[in-house]
């Protein structure tokens, strides 16, 4: 959406700290009041979609076949989320990653987003009958795979959703192999 | 330390939001200026020790025997950290957990602390030659085990450090079993 794009453009041009809500709204061709209809503060514009992402992951887990293992269920769930990403989000990817990496405040918000998505996946797995701590661990792997998949997709010239799904599934598979070789 | 204890007492009595830095300092028998010598803001007093914890985990990983697996290394590292906890920290445990759980702002800070500790363990494992993503995954298991171990210890009547170590190692073992049964 326009406010997110405007915010990222300004962060790239002048940094997150120097960017004001008024500037973001102006760049988006909107008023400051309109900004506050969508977001409570400047930080939130960069984490737009957290609740929808959590809902998509939950729905993906609920839709997985009854006999699916926790990891297969997580893979289905990640597919459901990655399928909603657009070429525009791919194009913003490197700017978003660099902006978050440059600010402790944004890293903190990012850590909360990860915790929210992990908690949503854990709850949905537990509701399917996956016992703790398997549910939590599978959800952690899912969140890590998503983060790694996004970073790889952002820096991949292929900008289609299938590529995001592919990187995320590959990251999940790598993490699963790693999980069997820790002891 | 006195400021941490004072802050937790006030959070239990009147909630985190209603507690001011002036009240925390007064309860601790210190001035507001002294508070700011130790902590930049009210939130940080509840996360005192983050850098020391990260350093202890790193040192624990560096001190593990050369042939130790990633998970054995993490277990050694967690022992090095849990050994520094006191009976007083055990006594504060339930109050700290309840205070953080009641505030989104504190949950966010807690998520960052977890991310910082996980990153420290990941780096220390990579320096020992553990490949990614095994290092990251072992570190994630370590952070989860620490969180679960602390929660169980906080609600355990036995208040010695050995009990914290025992709960944390048991949580790590549970997570490892879970890791082998996800697919």
């Amino acid at each position: 959406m326009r406010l997110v794009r405007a915010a990222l453009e300004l962060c790239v041009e002048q940094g997150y700290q120097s960017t004001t809500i008024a500037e973001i709204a102006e760049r988006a061709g909107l008023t400051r009041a309109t900004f506050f209809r969508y977001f409570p503060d400047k930080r939130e514009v960069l984490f737009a979609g957290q609740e929808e992402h959590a809902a998509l992951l939950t729905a993906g887990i609920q839709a997985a076949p009854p006999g699916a293992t926790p990891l297969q269920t997580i893979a289905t769930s990640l597919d459901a989320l990655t399928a909603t990403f657009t070429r525009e989000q791919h194009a913003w990817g490197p700017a978003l990653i660099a902006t978050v990496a440059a600010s402790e405040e944004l890293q903190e918000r990012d850590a909360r987003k990860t915790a929210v998505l992990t908690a949503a996946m854990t709850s949905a797995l537990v509701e399917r009958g996956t016992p703790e701590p398997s549910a939590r661990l599978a959800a952690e792997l899912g969140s890590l795979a998503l983060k790694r998949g996004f970073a790889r997709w952002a820096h991949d010239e292929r900008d289609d959703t299938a590529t995001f799904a592919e990187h995320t599934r590959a990251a999940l598979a790598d993490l699963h192999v790693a999980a069997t070789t820790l002891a």
Side-chain angles (χ1 to χ4, degrees), chain A:
Chain A
M1 77 123 93
R2 276 190 294 172
L3 285 164
V4 177
R5 186 174 51 231
L8 278 168
E9 278 175 13
L10 287 160
C11 286
V12 169
E13 291 166 19
Q14 62 193 35
Y16 171 73
Q17 293 302 340
S18 316
T19 298
T20 66
I21 287 174
E23 288 173 318
I24 296 169
E26 192 193 343
R27 176 72 61 100
L30 299 168
T31 64
R32 225 167 151 276
T34 304
F35 180 97
F36 286 112
R37 269 217 297 280
Y38 290 103
F39 303 107
D41 56 39
K42 183 175 76 167
R43 208 175 54 153
E44 287 306 305
V45 70
L46 297 175
F47 296 90
Q50 172 182 290
E51 297 315 316
E52 289 138 31
H53 293 178
L56 284 160
L57 291 169
T58 297
I61 287 171
Q62 288 164 346
T69 65
L71 219 62
Q72 286 165 345
T73 305
I74 289 293
T76 306
S77 168
L78 296 177
D79 283 348
L81 175 57
T82 55
T84 67
F85 277 65
T86 63
R87 288 187 168 190
E88 194 172 12
Q89 282 170 300
H90 174 264
W92 295 341
L96 181 59
I97 291 167
T99 299
V100 172
S103 157
E104 194 164 85
E105 188 187 342
L106 295 178
Q107 284 169 39
E108 191 161 302
R109 180 65 185 83
D110 194 48
R112 173 152 67 91
K113 179 172 179 182
T114 300
V116 166
L117 299 185
T118 304
M121 287 188 274
T122 304
S123 298
L125 280 170
V126 166
E127 270 176 35
R128 278 175 67 92
T130 305
E132 271 274 10
S134 299
R136 174 62 186 262
L137 192 61
E140 293 276 352
L141 262 56
S143 282
L144 265 174
L146 195 59
K147 192 171 288 257
R148 288 165 179 234
F150 185 72
R152 290 179 201 168
W153 182 48
H155 297 99
D156 188 325
E157 284 179 18
R158 293 171 298 159
D159 65 358
D160 55 358
T161 290
T163 306
F164 184 15
E166 184 187 303
H167 281 302
T168 303
R169 275 188 171 255
L172 187 65
D174 288 349
L175 287 163
H176 179 239
V177 170
T180 61
T181 58
L182 292 180

